[in-house]
Amino acid sequence: MKNLQSTVTLSNGEQMPWLGLGVFKMSEGQEVIDSTKAAIRNGYRSIDTAAVYQNEDGVGQAIKASGIPREQLFITTKVWNSDQGYESTLKAFDSSMNKLGLDYLDLYLIHWPVKGKYKETWKALEKLHKDGRVRSIGVSNFQIHHLEDLLADAEIRPVVNQVELHPLLSQVELREYCKSQGIQIEAWSPLAQGKLLDNEVLKAIGAKYGKSTAQVIIRWDLQNEIVTIPKSSKEQRIIENADVFDFELTADEIEQINGLNQNLRVGPDPDNFDF
Ligand SMILES: NC(=O)c1ccc[n+]([C@@H]2O[C@H](COP(=O)([O-])OP(=O)(O)OC[C@H]3O[C@@H](n4cnc5c(N)ncnc54)[C@H](OP(=O)(O)O)[C@@H]3O)[C@@H](O)[C@H]2O)c1
């Protein structure tokens, strides 16, 4: 893990950057275009969007304008809950790809484990993978029991599980389970949507290295082999969040950060959501 272009080899052999840009809550149009362009210009190669963010078109425009060869980029999008089911997922995928303007996708995720639906949705993802339209398929917000249920009759195994994960919700058990199943964990809301930035433990560790709390958290992710996608629409922070390859947390500092866990979510609970 040397720089922003360093990748993890997923269990299907594909390469995924350890660090990418999340674009949740960025408005379609100028905001998402400018932020995505800024990220790519500053060395990011992985962008995480979703149909429900309604900004795939802008992400696609920024990719096109970047001039970076397609094969050097890693683009993720997700099928939204109301589109789950076999045929409707295939249709939703086409719609996302039209907006992104891509002829293949790197990673397609089931956004949430919608009860009674996600297995049919998974069959559609398997077909898209077999047809060569998406290189890797995975899930998001799946708990261990959702994964066990899916794996019981999946033909192709998910290679990524993207979940809420930050020092207040360190997801130790899920991380261990995923590791044992060859499923790469990816952290969403790695900065707890800003709630952790004044944390005294993180501030003290950051002061030692001349790094911000955001950088300490991102470094904690990387040293724990967690793929991470902090969101910022400000170029200065996009650069800051990627400036994490020139320091290393000690084992003791990692333990101190592990100690912040409170099993506290800033987002919805995958076992109790109604959307
Ligand atoms: N699969 C899912 O269900 C799911 C759910 C939520 C999120 N996600 C993905 O995960 C990505 C990241 O999560 P998130 O956007 O919820 O939250 P996040 O990355 O934890 O935090 C983003 C917030 O922190 C601020 N910020 C970023 N860098 C900063 C820095 N260096 N210093 C101070 N403030 C900073 C941002 O503000 P500014 O933009 O103003 O800088 C924004 O308010 C999303 O964009 C999305 O791609 C997935």
Side-chain angles (χ1 to χ4, degrees):
M1 215 178 288
K2 292 195 314 254
N3 58 41
L4 197 41
Q5 277 109 50
S6 296
T7 55
V8 53
T9 304
L10 302 175
S11 58
N12 61 0
E14 296 290 338
Q15 303 291 315
M16 177 176 194
W18 283 106
L19 181 50
L21 178 76
V23 301
F24 181 38
K25 291 188 184 157
M26 288 189 200
S27 323
E28 182 63 292
Q30 218 50 54
E31 185 185 20
V32 77
I33 294 173
D34 288 348
S35 310
T36 307
K37 275 188 185 167
I40 297 175
R41 183 166 64 237
N42 286 292
Y44 285 66
R45 293 294 175 263
S46 168
I47 308 291
D48 180 87
T49 184
V52 75
Y53 302 168
Q54 298 190 343
N55 57 20
E56 291 168 310
D57 193 85
V59 169
Q61 287 187 48
I63 291 169
K64 219 165 281 149
S66 74
I68 300 291
R70 171 68 185 95
E71 63 275 13
Q72 289 180 23
L73 295 170
F74 189 98
I75 310 302
T76 302
T77 193
K78 317 180 189 92
V79 54
W80 185 240
N81 300 355
S82 53
D83 287 323
Q84 286 203 39
Y86 186 79
E87 292 296 338
S88 43
T89 295
L90 295 178
K91 248 173 86 183
F93 181 81
D94 283 340
S95 163
S96 285
M97 294 302 277
N98 284 337
K99 288 179 185 150
L100 287 163
L102 300 176
D103 55 6
Y104 75 90
L105 185 71
D106 295 281
L107 178 62
Y108 201 37
L109 302 178
I110 298 183
H111 208 148
W112 287 85
V114 176
K115 253 191 211 144
K117 289 269 184 83
Y118 62 75
K119 286 204 178 190
E120 283 305 302
T121 307
W122 188 251
K123 289 202 178 85
L125 267 60
E126 290 177 328
K127 174 169 170 53
L128 292 165
H129 179 64
K130 285 182 202 157
D131 290 349
R133 302 197 65 200
V134 53
R135 302 254 159 112
S136 299
I137 53 177
V139 295
S140 178
N141 299 302
F142 273 48
Q143 307 270 51
I144 293 175
H145 68 92
H146 296 122
L147 287 167
E148 285 173 340
D149 184 41
L150 188 73
L151 288 169
D153 45 19
E155 214 182 305
I156 302 171
R157 298 166 66 84
V159 294
V160 168
N161 185 16
Q162 182 186 112
V163 296
E164 181 180 344
L165 198 163
H166 41 71
L168 299 174
L169 178 72
S170 56
Q171 301 267 32
V172 173
E173 209 189 330
L174 182 61
R175 275 158 57 193
E176 278 169 10
Y177 175 79
C178 285
K179 191 165 187 182
S180 75
Q181 297 297 320
I183 300 170
Q184 176 62 47
I185 277 276
E186 179 177 16
W188 65 253
S189 293
L191 308 177
Q193 296 180 349
K195 287 185 182 60
L196 263 170
L197 299 175
D198 290 328
N199 181 279
E200 293 303 331
V201 172
L202 299 173
K203 275 207 238 168
I205 295 172
K208 174 176 158 193
Y209 299 103
K211 294 286 177 184
S212 68
T213 49
Q215 290 170 319
V216 170
I217 297 170
I218 294 163
R219 186 71 211 176
W220 173 80
D221 283 336
L222 299 178
Q223 288 187 224
N224 278 305
E225 300 186 337
I226 296 164
V227 168
T228 187
I229 44 169
K231 174 262 172 185
S232 178
S233 38
K234 300 183 172 64
E235 182 161 13
Q236 207 186 333
R237 288 178 177 171
I238 290 172
I239 295 168
E240 175 187 327
N241 293 345
D243 184 14
V244 293
F245 295 95
D246 59 352
F247 75 113
E248 190 163 344
L249 301 170
T250 64
D252 177 59
E253 287 159 351
I254 300 250
E255 274 312 308
Q256 285 181 50
I257 302 172
N258 291 346
L260 299 176
N261 181 48
Q262 299 176 21
N263 296 326
L264 189 80
R265 293 183 183 277
V266 298
D269 181 345
D271 281 324
N272 186 20
F273 64 97
D274 60 357
F275 49 86

